[in-house]
């Protein structure tokens, strides 16, 4: 079994984690969270999304949050852009990377971004072109790559189809996302194999929600295939507004504990990461979703 010796993590907590919060989280708190994450050694942070504030009110302060961050050298700040309007707004905030997001299931595409998969790709194509021309990196998220809250099981063929479309329009790397956290390891490996028909292993990441407690098992299954890019959310924050009942991403603390325990480096300081999770959990007035953080905090006393 050959595992990667190093893993790159994108913390998506400020975006995927907070987008579903009902109470508005002040921009200053989001900015402080980004600062604490970079202080903990995260070198990729998904900060916000330039989506419709009517659809996702929590992300309405996108420009303010981007403007407030003290950028650290070597850190990549990414933002979601669903269409040309989102890109035009995002580019003023100088993101290092934009994320176009499509779904492997038609029903989820309609619920999430109000168009079919094919229409979404048509919308993304000029956005991707503009970003690449401006020297902004482009990632593509593939939601519901294993299961869909409306359609049930999603076939690897649907994933391969979407990955091919993403590739055609110039997306540089893709996230294989288990949006609703129902995936199990073998299904993850099938979805990854489908993705690998169009992207090489260095350009595929795993984005696992932990709704059914499978995210770490799924991470290991992906690691065994050589995947070394993952997304997670500090304190296990999150959920998608268009996937009822879906909970947060796997906690970054869980991922770091797993990887370090296996001798795989991440560049992340787990103690400082736990402090970042403590900060946002205290602000939200709830206990962290990370069992690793809970265990270490109780040892700290
Ligand atoms: P629409 O209503 O079809 O858009 O929404 P439209 O083009 O018909 O425009 C309607 C109104 O929205 C207009 O305003 C536009 O100006 C405005 P009005 O004239 O009514 O006042 N509008 C915008 N405003 C701000 N920014 C924009 C924008 N575009 C249009 N970019 C749209 C289509 C995509 C905008 C909408 O469906 C939307 O914003 N959806 C949000 C989707 C979202 O953020 N979902 C959560 C993130 S995805 C996720 O969490 C999954 C992921 O983590 C991976 C995984 O786990 O699967 C990535
Ligand atoms: Mg997600």
């Amino acid at each position: 079994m050959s595992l990667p010796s190093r893993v790159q993590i994108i913390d998506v907590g400020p975006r995927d984690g907070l987008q579903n919060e009902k109470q508005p989280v002040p921009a200053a708190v989001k900015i402080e969270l980004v600062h604490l994450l970079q202080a903990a050694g995260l070198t990729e942070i998904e900060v916000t999304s330039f989506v419709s504030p009517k659809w996702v009110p929590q992300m309405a302060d996108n420009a303010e949050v981007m403007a407030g961050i003290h950028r650290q050298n070597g850190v990549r700040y990414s933002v979601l852009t669903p269409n040309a309007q989102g890109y035009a707004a995002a580019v003023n905030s100088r993101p290092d990377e934009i994320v176009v997001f499509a779904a492997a299931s038609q029903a989820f595409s309609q619920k999430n971004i109000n168009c079919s998969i094919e229409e979404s790709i048509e919308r993304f194509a000029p956005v991707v072109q503009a970003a690449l021309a401006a020297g902004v990196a482009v990632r593509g998220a593939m939601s519901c790559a294993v299961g869909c809250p409306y359609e049930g099981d999603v076939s690897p063929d649907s994933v391969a189809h979407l990955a091919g479309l993403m590739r055609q329009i110039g997306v540089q790397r893709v996230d294989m996302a288990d949006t609703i956290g129902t995936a199990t390891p073998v299904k993850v490996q099938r979805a990854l194999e489908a993705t690998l028909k169009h992207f090489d292993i260095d350009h595929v990441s795993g984005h696992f929600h932990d709704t059914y407690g499978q995210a770490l098992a799924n991470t290991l299954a992906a690691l065994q295939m050589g995947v070394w890019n993952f997304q997670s959310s500090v304190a296990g924050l999150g959920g998608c507004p268009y996937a009822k009942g879906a909970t947060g991403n796997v906690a970054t603390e869980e991922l770091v504990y797993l990887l370090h325990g296996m001798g795989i480096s991440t560049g992340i300081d787990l103690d400082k990461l736990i402090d970042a999770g403590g900060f946002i959990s205290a602000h939200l007035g709830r206990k962290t979703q990370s069992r690793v953080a809970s265990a270490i905090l109780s040892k700290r006393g």
Side-chain angles (χ1 to χ4, degrees), residues 12 15-16 19 46 143 177-179 207 209 231 239-240 249:
V12 297
R15 195 283 303 170
D16 205 352
Q19 68 182 7
E46 200 172 271
S143 290
D178 177 21
T179 313
H207 176 117
H209 285 258
Q231 286 143 33
C240 179
N249 297 85

Side-chain angles (χ1 to χ4, degrees), residues 5-300:
S5 58
R6 190 183 155 275
V7 155
Q8 179 67 25
I9 296 177
I10 306 179
D11 198 294
V12 297
R15 195 283 303 170
D16 205 352
L18 294 180
Q19 68 182 7
N20 211 24
E21 288 298 327
K22 296 287 168 282
Q23 295 304 317
V25 177
V29 170
K30 295 170 181 165
I31 292 164
E32 179 62 9
L33 176 60
V34 170
H35 290 163
L36 291 170
L37 290 171
Q38 61 193 18
L42 266 303
T43 53
E44 291 201 53
I45 303 172
E46 200 172 271
V47 178
T48 186
S49 56
F50 287 81
V51 297
S52 162
K54 287 185 192 145
W55 285 62
V56 186
Q58 186 64 255
M59 296 285 112
D61 58 1
N62 40 32
E64 187 184 351
V65 173
M66 285 297 280
I69 296 169
H70 299 300
R71 297 195 190 198
Q72 195 171 292
N73 271 343
V75 177
R76 179 182 273 207
Y77 305 93
S78 54
V79 304
L80 267 58
T81 54
N83 53 19
Q85 190 176 340
Y87 177 72
V91 79
N92 295 320
S93 294
R94 298 183 299 108
D96 299 298
E97 183 179 56
I98 58 148
V99 185
V100 292
F101 49 108
S105 90
Q106 288 293 0
F108 191 78
S109 183
Q110 288 292 352
K111 296 276 185 196
N112 194 38
I113 49 175
N114 206 22
C115 62
S116 69
I117 297 168
E118 292 70 24
E119 283 163 343
S120 75
I121 294 292
E122 274 169 38
R123 282 181 198 176
F124 299 152
V127 170
V128 173
Q129 263 177 22
L132 295 177
V136 178
V138 179
R139 181 151 56 84
M142 303 193 296
S143 290
C144 298
V146 179
C148 167
Y150 312 103
E151 291 179 11
D153 285 349
V154 173
S155 72
D157 285 348
S158 306
V159 178
H161 177 65
L162 177 58
L165 294 173
M166 290 261 184
R167 178 92 213 174
Q168 270 171 28
I169 60 168
V171 166
Q172 294 169 307
R173 56 177 183 157
V174 284
D175 313 328
M176 195 285 272
D178 177 21
T179 313
I180 55 171
T182 54
T184 43
V186 174
K187 289 182 181 171
V188 161
Q189 290 183 333
R190 294 205 178 114
L192 284 170
E193 278 161 11
T195 309
L196 289 165
K197 291 185 176 157
H198 299 283
F199 288 87
D200 64 53
I201 197 78
D202 296 337
H203 295 94
V204 174
S205 71
H207 176 117
F208 303 127
H209 285 258
D210 203 27
T211 317
Y212 286 77
Q214 304 299 302
L216 286 181
N218 292 337
T219 300
L220 183 58
L223 284 168
Q224 286 171 336
M225 292 180 67
V227 172
W228 59 276
N229 285 280
F230 291 93
Q231 286 143 33
S232 56
S233 189
V234 67
L237 298 172
C240 179
Y242 302 102
K244 201 162 183 276
T247 60
N249 297 85
V250 63
T252 309
E253 294 91 324
E254 257 71 340
L255 200 50
V256 168
Y257 182 84
L258 171 83
L259 295 165
H260 291 185
M262 294 173 73
I264 299 172
S265 69
T266 63
I268 294 168
D269 179 325
L270 181 57
D271 276 311
K272 287 187 181 165
L273 179 65
I274 288 171
D275 294 341
F279 165 80
I280 191 64
S281 300
H283 176 83
L284 297 172
R286 74 171 81 106
K287 215 175 149 294
T288 176
Q289 296 298 304
S290 162
R291 294 167 70 173
V292 167
S294 296
I296 293 177
L297 284 170
S298 72
K299 276 211 289 191
R300 276 191 201 167

